[in-house]
Amino acid sequence: MTAVRVGLDVGGTKIEALGLGEDDTILARTRIPTGWGDEAVIAAVHDAIEALAAAGGFAVADVVSIGIGIPGLVDAPGGRVLHAVNLGVDELDLASAVRARIPVPVAIENDVKAAAVGAGSLRGDAHSMAYLNLGTGVAAGVVIGGMLWRGARGTAGEVGHISIDPRGRVCGCGQHGCIETFCGGGAVMKAWGRGGELPLRDVFDLAEKGDPLAVELREGIAFGAAAAVRSLVLSADVETVVLGGGVTALGDRLLDDLRDRLRRDAAESPFLASLRVEERIELLPAGSPAASLGAALVGAALLHGENPHTDHVNIEADTAGADIEPEGAVHG
């Protein structure tokens, strides 16, 4: 019998599912659309597991644990989703709903924290790192000593809501000038207001042609992302900040802007210059399964008698030899 640990990355439009084998290799990956509302989300989770089993050639009965990374406010110890606006979920006991059909250990985790666990495992060096998600919103997961650090109340890494300009745009959290208002994809597209198939790419393209608003927004993205990276380095002293999320589809143009901004800021501060922050950042490769892999590891922790929500999560999987096909960005 094959013992399969399943990880699901539930997003606003899709679920990415991953199956992890007994030898820590990735058996299969698949994607299906996400549902809207409590019942539809539950149904989509079960559909994703069944689709994954079909793709990997194993039975649902072979599944021994399930981990689910999901956006929004999560009561991880209780296995509940408390607020996921992009999924139409207000309060849902998701772990119990999944266990009702598949009676195995089920762990629920915030998607960014799950991605941090996965990114640490994929890098094979999770001693001191942070995963910074630049998606519709901005948040991070911090891994110290190979374990996920949640903080006293589970909000460690919420750098998107650090105000860096009290006179800036109003953030969804109610503050002014939060990091997220500068480099969050949702805030940038709202400020851009011109639509387009790929508005963030348009901002970068038109900035190179001198469009005043595009120049302002592109500089703002680098300003906000630099502040987020510095916050993580200065508060947790992580050695590496791995960048992921939809905004990172801009690739080297984003990375070059960010490094240039960090260098310019450090030029005015010998203290910052000594930290060499610009050397500590890297992009998560396109198509990386960090979020779904991390979810699988969070779920698997329950099998070893660990409580991943109080005792942290040991990052153990060795997927260096896994055949990972590019499937686009993990986060949007």
Side-chain angles (χ1 to χ4, degrees), residues 165-225:
D165 181 4
R167 295 170 295 179
R169 293 191 291 268
V170 178
C171 180
C173 75
Q175 299 183 96
H176 287 259
C178 289
I179 284 174
E180 188 169 296
T181 67
F182 287 94
C183 58
V188 173
M189 287 187 284
K190 182 178 179 181
W192 180 237
R194 301 184 191 179
E197 184 178 350
L198 296 169
L200 285 174
R201 187 184 64 186
D202 293 343
V203 167
F204 272 60
D205 289 345
L206 291 175
E208 292 170 0
K209 297 177 181 178
D211 182 284
L213 178 57
V215 169
E216 177 187 343
L217 292 176
R218 181 169 176 173
E219 290 178 349
I221 290 171
F223 173 69

Side-chain angles (χ1 to χ4, degrees), residues 26-48:
I26 295 174
L27 302 176
R29 295 171 66 190
T30 192
R31 287 180 176 180
I32 71 165
T34 305
W36 174 265
D38 292 6
E39 295 304 318
V41 168
I42 294 168
V45 165
H46 287 296
D47 289 346

Side-chain angles (χ1 to χ4, degrees), residues 106-118:
V106 178
I108 310 298
E109 182 59 89
N110 171 267
D111 60 339
V112 174
K113 287 182 171 60
V117 172

